[in-house]
Amino acid sequence: MIPNPWKYKYEVRVHSTDENAVETLASYIKEHLTKDTVLVCIGTDRCIGDALGPITGTMLESKNFSYPFYGTVDDPVHAVNLKEMMDVITTQHPDGFFIAVDACLGAEESIGSIHIKKGPIFPGKGVGKKLPSVGHLSIVGIVDRVNHDDCFAIHNIRLSLVMKMSKVIADAIILATQN
């Protein structure tokens, strides 16, 4: 069997404060859009560090985003309903090209960075949960550092960081879908 060359390889890495972050992300996303693109914004508003996906979804909703998407602050796709929601989503979009958006833990120097890779994300992995993988393309925002001694460290993240990163991701997705 040939190993998957895209496994864990990030195609794009940009810090959310980079003046060209939106354009850099949009350019890569645009190359991968199909008529069957569906976004799945994963996370919960009950934990600031995990709210990146739902906030991004809510920002897309406020802009009347034209592609189908799931996961907002009011109607989140999160650990408790992920399997059920993915069953519904894949049934409604059997030919879907899924783009997953989620928060992620990483190296301290990567906090604030947004990464895109081909292949799925593994929600909950950073906090020791085993959940279904999601996506043909993954967009993750590094919201905090991995801390194996304190799995609740993600609760100490600034909302302003998550909001700014969500805005960059939403703006990039919107820009990528414009002609």
Side-chain angles (χ1 to χ4, degrees):
M1 183 169 118
I2 299 171
N4 180 351
W6 304 112
K7 189 174 183 181
Y8 306 117
K9 181 179 180 203
Y10 287 97
E11 297 291 304
V12 176
R13 293 177 185 229
V14 64
H15 199 276
S16 57
T17 59
D18 183 300
E19 66 181 34
N20 297 315
V22 170
E23 292 78 10
T24 300
L25 296 169
S27 175
Y28 187 82
I29 294 166
K30 188 174 191 93
E31 292 175 21
H32 295 84
L33 289 176
T34 73
K35 65 179 178 53
D36 297 313
T37 294
V38 178
L39 273 86
V40 182
C41 301
I42 301 166
T44 178
D45 64 323
R46 293 179 183 243
C47 172
I48 291 172
D50 198 29
L52 180 93
I55 292 171
T56 301
T58 298
M59 289 178 177
L60 293 172
E61 183 177 55
S62 75
K63 302 285 188 184
N64 295 316
F65 185 63
S66 60
Y67 284 77
F69 67 95
Y70 299 84
T72 64
V73 172
D74 288 333
D75 194 16
V77 175
H78 50 66
V80 175
N81 70 4
L82 182 64
K83 183 179 179 340
E84 175 189 329
M85 286 300 298
M86 288 311 299
D87 288 347
V88 169
I89 293 166
T90 56
T91 299
Q92 289 182 0
H93 307 280
D95 298 321
F97 177 80
F98 299 101
I99 299 178
V101 179
D102 198 6
C104 185
L105 301 176
E108 189 163 358
E109 61 273 10
S110 295
I111 295 171
S113 294
I114 299 166
H115 301 178
I116 304 177
K117 73 174 176 87
K118 292 179 182 175
I121 58 170
F122 301 90
K125 185 176 179 182
V127 291
K129 292 183 180 176
K130 283 197 168 242
L131 299 169
S133 60
V134 179
H136 296 100
L137 191 73
S138 304
I139 303 172
V140 297
I142 312 298
V143 297
D144 201 3
R145 66 184 173 88
V146 175
N147 184 345
H148 298 292
D149 298 328
D150 182 7
C151 67
F152 297 105
I154 196 166
H155 294 283
N156 295 315
I157 296 162
R158 299 277 322 250
L159 177 59
S160 65
L161 171 68
V162 176
M163 294 290 293
K164 288 173 187 172
M165 292 176 72
S166 295
K167 182 169 179 4
V168 169
I169 294 168
D171 287 351
I173 292 168
I174 290 166
L175 181 60
T177 60
Q178 295 173 345
N179 293 346

